[in-house]
């Protein structure tokens, strides 16, 4: 099963993708996690993107496309994967289609988590507080200033990705305002219509 999980910052993509990973035994491929890990490790890519990621802007398409091309070619992704935070631009979506085409693969579905914009900042601040309470460093972009940049990037660059997948008949929209378990149930219901692992 090959899935994309779409949604604004704070919509719950990471939470739901992690649950899908457990349920279906396929990897959750989060470009945000990969970029943050590269930044922490101080790799050339990490050094290149750290400031961009921390500010809430989008990393150039060619950087994320290279990372994703390498990642989906690994053996653990052969049975499927959940893309979390990718694609974030229509160009990325087109390039992903091209990448999959040469592997004779295609996406099964795209789950979009719809959340009221007024709830997003509160969710992100809650995540930062909870992370700090666990004694871990909060994400550098989980603050009001970077959040505004992230939301602007989402509206301008990522929202059109939903229409791109709707045209392909792949888009399933889910109410992301519901409690986590209820969102999960909606996703499972949507998944039942296409699961073929
Ligand atoms: P996320 O963890 O998905 O919220 O992503 C955190 C940050 O990583 C984003 O605000 C971007 O700076 C960067 N990023 C993650 N995925 C992408 C992507 N597909 N395209 C461009 N930038 C990305």
């Amino acid at each position: 099963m090959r899935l994309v999980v779409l949604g604004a910052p704070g919509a719950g993509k990471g939470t739901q993708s992690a649950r899908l990973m457990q349920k279906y035994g396929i990897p959750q491929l989060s470009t945000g996690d990969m970029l943050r890990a590269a930044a922490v490790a101080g790799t050339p890519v990490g050094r290149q993107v750290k400031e961009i990621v921390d500010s809430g802007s989008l990393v150039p398409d060619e950087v994320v496309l290279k990372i994703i091309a390498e990642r989906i070619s690994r053996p653990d992704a052969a049975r499927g994967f959940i893309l979390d935070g990718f694609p974030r631009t229509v160009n990325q979506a087109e390039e992903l289609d091209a990448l999959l085409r040469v592997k004779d693969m295609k996406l099964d579905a795209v789950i979009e988590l719809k959340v009221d914009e007024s709830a997003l900042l509160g969710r992100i601040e809650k995540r930062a507080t909870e992370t700090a309470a666990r004694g871990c460093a909060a994400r550098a972009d989980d603050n009001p200033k970077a959040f505004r940049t992230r939301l602007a990037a989402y509206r301008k660059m990522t929202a059109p990705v939903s229409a791109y997948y709707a045209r392909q008949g792949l888009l399933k929209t889910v109410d992301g305002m519901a409690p986590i378990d209820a969102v999960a149930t909606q996703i499972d219901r949507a998944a039942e219509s296409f699961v073929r692992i």
Side-chain angles (χ1 to χ4, degrees):
M1 177 169 61
R2 285 175 287 273
L3 280 183
V4 168
V5 180
L6 284 179
K13 298 185 295 295
T15 303
Q16 294 299 335
S17 298
R19 195 194 59 88
L20 286 163
M21 172 177 73
Q22 295 292 334
K23 181 166 170 137
Y24 294 107
I26 51 177
Q28 168 192 9
L29 310 185
S30 157
T31 38
D33 284 350
M34 293 177 212
L35 293 166
R36 281 186 290 277
V40 168
T43 66
V45 168
R47 287 199 300 274
Q48 183 193 346
V49 303
K50 183 178 183 335
E51 222 173 279
I52 304 175
V53 171
D54 288 356
S55 74
S57 298
L58 291 186
V59 167
D61 284 354
E62 57 274 21
V63 174
V64 273
L65 282 163
K66 207 165 158 209
I67 292 176
I68 280 292
E70 187 276 324
R71 187 62 188 85
I72 63 176
S73 301
R74 290 200 212 156
D76 69 335
R79 284 179 59 248
F81 47 77
I82 301 137
L83 290 170
D84 161 12
F86 177 92
R88 258 181 162 92
T89 66
V90 171
N91 178 53
Q92 289 179 16
E94 288 169 347
E95 293 292 331
L96 173 63
D97 281 348
L99 262 173
L100 294 176
R101 209 174 301 124
V102 296
K103 293 177 187 295
D104 210 14
M105 291 176 173
K106 52 189 175 55
L107 294 172
D108 292 293
V110 175
I111 310 280
E112 179 186 39
L113 301 174
K114 273 265 187 230
V115 179
D116 295 345
E117 281 193 3
S118 59
L120 296 174
L121 180 59
R123 285 183 173 204
I124 276 176
E125 289 183 321
K126 184 164 172 261
R127 174 166 67 191
T129 310
E130 286 171 356
T131 307
R134 286 199 307 273
C136 303
R139 279 173 52 165
D141 59 350
D142 274 353
N143 63 71
K145 184 164 183 273
F147 169 74
R148 279 194 295 278
T149 308
R150 290 160 71 190
L151 187 58
Y154 173 78
R155 285 185 187 139
K156 186 166 175 219
M157 305 302 293
T158 311
V161 175
S162 300
Y164 175 85
Y165 287 125
R167 283 195 293 278
Q168 295 187 12
L170 289 173
L171 190 73
K172 323 257 171 196
T173 300
V174 159
D175 172 17
M177 293 303 289
I180 291 175
D181 287 350
V183 176
T185 305
Q186 291 179 68
I187 294 177
D188 288 345
R189 228 174 266 143
E192 277 160 22
S193 56
F194 60 78
V195 168
R196 50 164 183 82
I197 307 183

